[in-house]
Structures are given as C-alpha cells and as structure tokens.
Amino acid sequence: MPVQNSPRLALTVGDPAGIGPEIVLKALAAPERPAVPVIVYGPMESLLDRARRFGLRLPQELGARVVDVVADEAVPVGKTSPAAGRVAAQAALRAAKDALEGRVDALVTAPLNKESLHAAGYSWPGHTEMLAQAAGTSDVAMMFVGGGLRVALLTIHRSLRSVPDALTRDEVVRVIRLVHRELPRFRAKERRIALCALNPHAGEGGLFGEEEKAVLQPAIAVLRAEGIDVTGPWPADTLFVRAIRGEFDAVVANYHDQGLIPVKLAAFGQAVNVTLGLPFVRTSVDHGTGFDIVEKGVADGSSLVLAMKAAVDLARSSPRPAST
C-alpha cells in the first residue's frame, strides 16, 4: 500500500564537518517544512555545536527524534578527516537500514564530502553508490529536479577523460528505461525523454567524435523499438532551453557537469537530487558541504526543505516496505 498521510522521514546530517548539521537544524525549524515524523541520524555533538554557535533549536525541541551516531574521534570543523567520513557513512547506512526494514518511509540526506569518505577507507564516491550497495542493486540513477528541468545522468562521479569509455549502449538503455519507468512519480503528464549528445554539434556526423553514431543512436533505436518516447542525441547547448520550455519531460545527460550546470543555473538552492531505482525513496540537496562558510552561520536550509517535501510526495506514491 502507498503511504497515505504522514511518511516517516529519515534525515541524515551528512558530513558533520560541513554545513550539514546547520542546515538540518534550519530545515527542521522552517515553517514550510512538511509536518511529518522526522528522525535525524548523525552525531548529536555536531548538532549541539551548531545550535550553540548560531542560536538554533535542537531537533528534540522541533519535534524530531535523534539517532545519535557517535564519531570515534574528534571531527575538525571545516576540514576533511577520516573521522568525519566514517561517522557520515555510518549515519547514512543506519538510516538506509531502517528504510530497508520499513522503520522509515524515505531518506533525505545532507551532503557528504568525497575526500573524507575516501580518507575513511570507503570506495564509494558518494551517496548514490553507497545506498545502491546497501540496497543490493546496481540499477540506479541520479536525477536532479528543479527550474523546470528533470535531468538524469548516465555517469556520475568520474573524470571527464573517462566518460567516453564509460558510455555503452547497454548502460544508456538501462538508465533511460529507468527514467521512463520512474517519470510518472514526478507528476510528468507524458514521458518524453531527450538524450544529450556527448560531443559538440552532436558529433557533426562523426567529425567531432563517434560516440553519437556508435553508442547513443543505437541505444535510442533499441528503446524506441520498445515503445519508449526518447529522441536525440541532441546538441546539449540548446537542448536544456527546449526542455525548460516544455518540449521534453526529462533530459538524460552524459556526465555530471553537462547535466548539473543547467539545473544549478536555473534553480541553485531550489533543486532536489533524487536517486532513481532504490527500494526506498531517497532525496538530497543540490549543493555540497560548504566548508568555506561552515563557521559563518549563513548556510541556507531551503534546498533541504525542498528535498523533504519531495521525499514526502514520492513516499506517498510509493509502496511502503513491510516492517521487520
């Protein structure tokens, strides 16, 4: 049965050395945040620190529970460290376990720091890969929603140099099938999907690269034979304008910055990151850990509030796993 009224949200603090604790407290205090049960996962010490520094109220004062995930050593504020990476991962995995076991209905994450995660000995480059492994699935994709755009990525956290080799017909087919399947949950009236070209001018018939002819066009042929409404590959320099104007319901980009620059230009701080394909709802913010502003008290919690709202909407349209 879909969740009807008050989905239970797990809200992780993210990297406690960054702005995660601050935006969690600000989001919980925001009058526009959804009135649903919330459990915060992360080190209580970091939440207490930001509350004292910036005069913010604690989760318990705002009607939220806290699962205190204690760091095994001191976490320096505004710096990468193995301790921060460990406790951030432990909190996210604890929340994911509760989601998988039906104790919460959706997971909303504050940002991780990839360097700290790596320093702690983890191989995941981010939440998407971590949560996919925790859920035992590889059929996931990252989608950003905001500014009139829904943008999914074929590759995520990898160097630009490695992107062409990572693009295969099978992977393009897999991601676009997933986007096609998930779009109705985002209130898309249709499922018109546009695929970005990798190269300038969509390769100009092979003059500027062969990926369009060798990989992207054959993938589109497979998908269209299945009845999926996908077109392209379209030159990326004009495709996003067409999507914002309503010509497409989703865009699939080849790599991280190709997809995220348009979203953040159109809606920075007002966009939401959603992981498609997990057996539970997961949303997140559209920004990073903000080490440069962590001691200033100026971090904006609005993207986290939007991520909470999106999680509630998605949870209400998603099956609830059985509790164990």
Side-chain angles (χ1 to χ4, degrees), residues 260-313:
L260 268 57
I261 287 173
V263 173
K264 294 188 179 186
L265 185 63
F268 185 70
Q270 300 295 312
V272 174
N273 174 2
V274 183
T275 304
L276 306 181
L278 291 172
F280 53 84
V281 171
R282 182 259 170 164
T283 65
S284 190
V285 295
D286 67 350
H287 59 76
T289 50
F291 281 179
D292 57 326
I293 60 169
V294 70
E295 298 190 77
K296 298 180 180 179
V298 298
D300 186 354
S302 59
S303 182
L304 190 58
V305 172
L306 289 172
M308 294 170 72
K309 290 180 177 180
V312 168
D313 287 344

Side-chain angles (χ1 to χ4, degrees), residues 145-229:
V145 180
L149 291 168
R150 302 180 188 96
V151 181
L153 305 179
L154 291 174
T155 64
I156 307 177
H157 300 117
R158 61 168 55 246
S159 70
L160 190 57
R161 183 187 294 273
S162 71
V163 167
D165 290 339
L167 293 175
T168 66
R169 189 191 72 168
D170 288 349
E171 185 64 3
V172 176
V173 167
R174 181 192 70 79
V175 172
I176 293 177
R177 281 176 179 157
L178 181 57
V179 172
H180 173 79
R181 187 177 81 220
E182 297 274 336
L183 267 176
R185 299 173 62 207
F186 294 86
R187 302 180 184 176
K189 294 181 180 178
E190 301 180 65
R191 288 186 277 182
R192 302 164 299 170
I193 301 169
L195 176 60
C196 280
L198 175 67
N199 297 300
H201 300 244
E204 202 74 80
L207 291 175
F208 303 149
E210 295 289 336
E211 287 81 9
E212 285 74 20
K213 293 169 66 176
V215 177
L216 303 183
Q217 290 173 8
I220 287 175
V222 169
L223 292 159
R224 290 188 66 83
E226 296 175 0
I228 293 176
D229 185 359

Side-chain angles (χ1 to χ4, degrees), residues 11-22:
L11 178 58
T12 67
V13 167
D15 190 307
I19 60 173
E22 179 183 351

Side-chain angles (χ1 to χ4, degrees), residues 51-255:
R52 286 194 294 262
R53 284 175 187 253
F54 307 132
L56 301 172
R57 286 181 288 169
L58 292 169
Q60 298 92 328
E61 300 173 64
L62 298 163
R65 289 174 48 206
V66 177
V67 173
D68 185 12
V69 183
V70 181
D72 57 12
E73 58 182 284
V75 173
V77 174
K79 299 178 181 178
T80 60
S81 71
R86 277 193 298 273
V87 73
Q90 289 163 4
L93 292 171
R94 173 70 183 274
K97 183 175 186 291
D98 284 353
L100 287 165
E101 295 179 355
R103 286 186 282 272
V104 295
D105 301 302
L107 172 55
V108 183
T109 60
L112 292 174
N113 181 277
K114 278 66 173 177
E115 286 185 55
S116 291
L117 203 61
H118 182 73
Y122 298 113
S123 60
W124 311 299
H127 273 116
T128 303
E129 300 84 356
M130 176 197 299
L131 297 174
Q133 182 174 322
T137 181
S138 58
D139 190 15
V140 298
M142 179 185 286
M143 175 181 276
F144 278 75
V145 180
L149 291 168
R150 302 180 188 96
V151 181
L153 305 179
L154 291 174
T155 64
I156 307 177
H157 300 117
R158 61 168 55 246
S159 70
L160 190 57
R161 183 187 294 273
S162 71
V163 167
D165 290 339
L167 293 175
T168 66
R169 189 191 72 168
D170 288 349
E171 185 64 3
V172 176
V173 167
R174 181 192 70 79
V175 172
I176 293 177
R177 281 176 179 157
L178 181 57
V179 172
H180 173 79
R181 187 177 81 220
E182 297 274 336
L183 267 176
R185 299 173 62 207
F186 294 86
R187 302 180 184 176
K189 294 181 180 178
E190 301 180 65
R191 288 186 277 182
R192 302 164 299 170
I193 301 169
L195 176 60
C196 280
L198 175 67
N199 297 300
H201 300 244
E204 202 74 80
L207 291 175
F208 303 149
E210 295 289 336
E211 287 81 9
E212 285 74 20
K213 293 169 66 176
V215 177
L216 303 183
Q217 290 173 8
I220 287 175
V222 169
L223 292 159
R224 290 188 66 83
E226 296 175 0
I228 293 176
D229 185 359
V230 56
T231 57
W234 301 107
D237 58 353
T238 54
L239 175 56
F240 292 97
V241 174
R242 296 169 64 189
I244 287 175
R245 290 175 177 171
E247 192 172 339
F248 304 107
D249 301 292
V251 173
V252 176
N254 292 274
Y255 56 92

